[in-house]
Amino acid sequence: QIQLVQSGPELKKPGESLKISCKASGYTFTDYAMQWVKQAPGKGLQYMGWINTQTGKPTYADDFKERFVFSLETSASTAYLQINNLKNEDTATYFCARSGVPDFDYWGQGVMVTVSS
Amino acid sequence: DVVLTQTPPTLSATIGQSVSISCRSSQSLLDSDGDTYLNWLLQRPGQSPQLLIYSVSNLESGVPNRFSGSGSETDFTLKISGVEAEDLGVYYCMQATHAPDTFGAGTKLELK
């Protein structure tokens, strides 16, 4: 069955970096793009952007163009989200979701990231 | 960016009651390919969101048929015909017609 399994929770200090993984199984990884979504504590869903799993080309929403990097390890069917120079406002749960037919048909379980000094 | 306005923000319902959620878009979501990329998702407490309805009115595989979607252009509605306990959570509309994708603020469905 199709699954997106994300890495575990992270506790980081401001200014540090982190890299979250999203491992896909049950389908051909390069057939579908991968989306990323942020959810701050107690808040709604915020679209971060997506990555083309065939070409590796990322597309970022405006709020995520500066310190955020989408990448792939195609041989491992894994997508990554890296956040550099972490800020307190990056505290959130980050979801990956498959851009299938239809979009957002499968979601990862989410990674809770806490940024605190 | 497209703004999606969901109403009401909170909805109280009894089991078996039928309810509706509205989603209004700041611009038409009819794409040049003829499709309208307006989806509905449910996020149960402590869980990831799940897709319920895509392209306005198409039920995602495995979703009960008490859920239905309707609408066009800028006005859309999600209807639950007979709320069950497992339906409680936050409902989001989202659009993928205009980049970037955007989400509504959510409607929380709770038990009365």
Side-chain angles (χ1 to χ4, degrees):
Chain A
Q1 76 281 23
I2 294 170
Q3 282 190 303
L4 299 178
V5 178
Q6 297 185 244
S7 46
E10 300 268 7
L11 175 59
K12 293 288 188 179
K13 291 180 167 50
E16 294 183 336
S17 296
L18 67 74
K19 195 171 187 177
I20 292 166
S21 67
C22 170
K23 183 170 176 58
S25 61
Y27 72 98
T28 301
F29 182 68
T30 51
D31 280 352
Y32 302 96
M34 194 68 75
Q35 314 267 15
W36 290 94
V37 175
K38 175 184 178 182
Q39 186 169 40
K43 302 296 185 183
L45 304 172
Q46 185 179 12
Y47 184 68
M48 300 177 69
W50 63 286
I51 184 164
N52 185 318
T53 54
Q54 291 188 337
T55 64
K57 179 178 184 291
T59 301
Y60 302 98
D62 284 346
D63 287 347
F64 300 97
K65 287 184 175 176
E66 292 297 322
R67 301 179 291 110
F68 298 82
V69 180
F70 305 151
S71 63
L72 304 171
E73 186 177 351
T74 305
S75 62
S77 298
T78 300
Y80 297 96
L81 165 64
Q82 181 168 327
I83 310 175
N84 299 317
N85 187 22
L86 282 159
K87 303 179 185 301
N88 289 332
E89 55 262 39
D90 296 325
T91 294
T93 297
Y94 293 86
F95 295 99
C96 59
R98 193 179 79 157
S99 187
V101 181
D103 253 347
F104 296 94
D105 56 351
Y106 289 90
W107 291 67
Q109 83 275 19
V111 176
M112 187 177 299
V113 172
T114 303
V115 183
S116 174
S117 53
Chain B
D1 295 359
V2 173
V3 176
L4 298 177
T5 302
Q6 285 186 238
T7 54
T10 305
L11 197 49
S12 295
T14 56
I15 300 300
Q17 182 179 352
S18 291
V19 297
S20 293
I21 299 169
S22 169
C23 177
R24 289 191 169 164
S25 173
S26 60
Q27 55 185 283
S28 174
L29 299 183
L30 176 63
D31 193 63
S32 56
D33 66 4
D35 205 340
T36 300
Y37 297 101
L38 186 284
N39 300 343
W40 290 94
L41 303 101
L42 165 61
Q43 187 175 30
R44 297 185 177 96
Q47 295 189 17
S48 305
Q50 70 164 109
L51 183 66
L52 297 176
I53 288 174
Y54 63 95
S55 297
V56 180
S57 59
N58 295 279
L59 211 58
E60 173 67 342
S61 176
V63 173
N65 60 12
R66 62 179 179 273
F67 292 94
S68 62
S70 62
S72 64
E73 303 269 1
T74 59
D75 285 337
F76 304 93
T77 301
L78 173 71
K79 183 177 181 181
I80 311 172
S81 300
V83 168
E84 298 193 6
E86 65 181 19
D87 301 337
L88 304 183
V90 180
Y91 289 81
Y92 296 95
C93 59
M94 63 150 296
Q95 68 81 27
T97 297
H98 302 286
D101 294 6
T102 50
F103 293 91
T107 294
K108 185 176 182 179
L109 177 61
E110 54 190 24
L111 273 181
K112 191 180 291 183

